[in-house]
Amino acid sequence: CTLHMGNLRGIPEAIFIESVEAFVGSREPEAVVEQLRDLHSKYQYMLSSLVAQRAGLKQKLPDIVSALGAVEHLIRNRDKVETLEVQFNMTDVIWVKANVKPTDKVCLWLGANIMLEYPLDEAKALLTENKENALTMQSKVEEDVNFLRDQITTTEVNIARAHNYGVKQRQKSKEKQMLEQEEKRGPAKDL
C-alpha cells in the first residue's frame, strides 16, 4: 500500500503517489482505489476515536484543576482553628454551602464509583501528576489529530489520482477497441 513509518504513536504515514501508473502497475486501478478507500476509512476511524479522546480530556481537565484548587485551599487552611465556609457542586445546577473543619485528609473520586481517602499532600501530588499527564496527553492527541488530517488529505488526493488514472485507462481501451473495429470493417466507401 502507500504507508511508511508514521508518527511516534504508531499511526502510519500515507505517502503521496508520485507516479500513479508505476504504483498501479499490472493491477486494476479500481482495486487500487478500493485499497486506498479502505486506508481512508481506517484513518477516519482513528480520527473519530482521537476526537472523542480529546473531548474527554477537555472535560476531565477542568475537574482535575478544580479538585487541585480545593485541595490547595485545604492545605493553606489546615492549621487554622475555625471552620471554613465552602461551596460545592452537588449537581450541575445546585451548589451547597458547608462548614468544613480543618483537616489533614481528603477523599478523591478516582472513577468507576471509587473514592479513596488521601492525606492532603498526597492528594495534591496525585492531582498535580494527573493534571500534568492530562495536559501532556491533550498535546499528543492534538498532534495526532493534525497528523491524521494530513494523512486523510494525502489519501484523498491519492484516491482521486488513482480514480482518474482508471478513467483514462478505460477511455484508452474504448478508443483502441473502436479503432480495431474500424480496421476490421475496412475503409469507408464514398457514395
Side-chain angles (χ1 to χ4, degrees):
C1 201
T2 60
L3 300 178
H4 274 285
M5 288 287 285
N7 70 356
L8 295 176
R9 284 166 292 286
I11 300 171
E13 180 182 7
I15 301 302
F16 178 75
I17 301 171
E18 293 291 336
S19 170
V20 177
E21 184 176 350
F23 182 77
V24 171
S26 62
R27 298 179 289 178
E28 287 294 318
E30 292 81 18
V32 173
V33 168
E34 188 60 34
Q35 192 177 27
L36 290 169
R37 284 189 177 138
D38 286 344
L39 177 62
H40 184 263
S41 67
K42 289 176 185 176
Y43 281 140
Q44 291 285 19
Y45 176 77
M46 285 186 262
L47 181 63
S48 67
S49 174
L50 284 173
V51 166
Q53 188 177 0
R54 179 176 62 183
L57 286 168
K58 282 185 178 182
Q59 182 180 3
K60 188 185 298 185
L61 197 55
D63 293 339
I64 294 170
V65 170
S66 175
L68 182 58
V71 169
E72 288 172 340
H73 183 72
L74 289 172
I75 289 172
R76 283 191 304 271
N77 293 294
R78 70 177 150 194
D79 294 330
K80 294 184 179 177
V81 178
E82 71 267 5
T83 60
L84 296 171
E85 186 175 293
V86 295
Q87 290 185 350
F88 63 94
N89 191 331
M90 293 249 325
T91 67
D92 289 339
V93 293
I94 299 174
W95 288 81
V96 177
K97 285 185 180 180
N99 291 320
V100 178
K101 294 178 182 176
T103 182
D104 60 344
K105 294 180 183 169
V106 67
C107 294
L108 297 178
W109 283 106
L110 299 179
N113 293 326
I114 297 173
M115 180 183 272
L116 285 180
E117 184 177 76
Y118 287 93
L120 290 175
D121 294 327
E122 284 184 32
K124 180 180 177 182
L126 176 68
L127 290 169
T128 300
E129 181 182 348
N130 287 353
K131 177 184 168 187
E132 290 169 2
N133 289 343
L135 289 170
T136 301
M137 191 62 171
Q138 194 175 33
S139 173
K140 288 179 181 179
V141 167
E142 198 59 43
E143 286 176 22
D144 287 349
V145 164
N146 291 332
F147 181 79
L148 271 170
R149 285 188 176 139
D150 289 345
Q151 304 324 298
I152 288 170
T153 300
T154 301
T155 304
E156 288 170 347
V157 169
N158 287 341
I159 288 169
R161 293 182 75 225
H163 174 78
N164 291 342
Y165 176 77
V167 169
K168 286 180 184 178
Q169 291 303 102
R170 286 190 294 278
Q171 285 174 344
K172 285 181 183 178
S173 176
K174 283 182 183 178
E175 288 173 5
K176 184 178 178 183
Q177 286 176 346
M178 289 176 68
L179 284 174
E180 288 174 356
Q181 288 175 355
E182 285 180 17
E183 289 175 359
K184 286 181 182 178
R185 279 192 243 141
K189 297 181 180 179
D190 291 333
L191 293 175

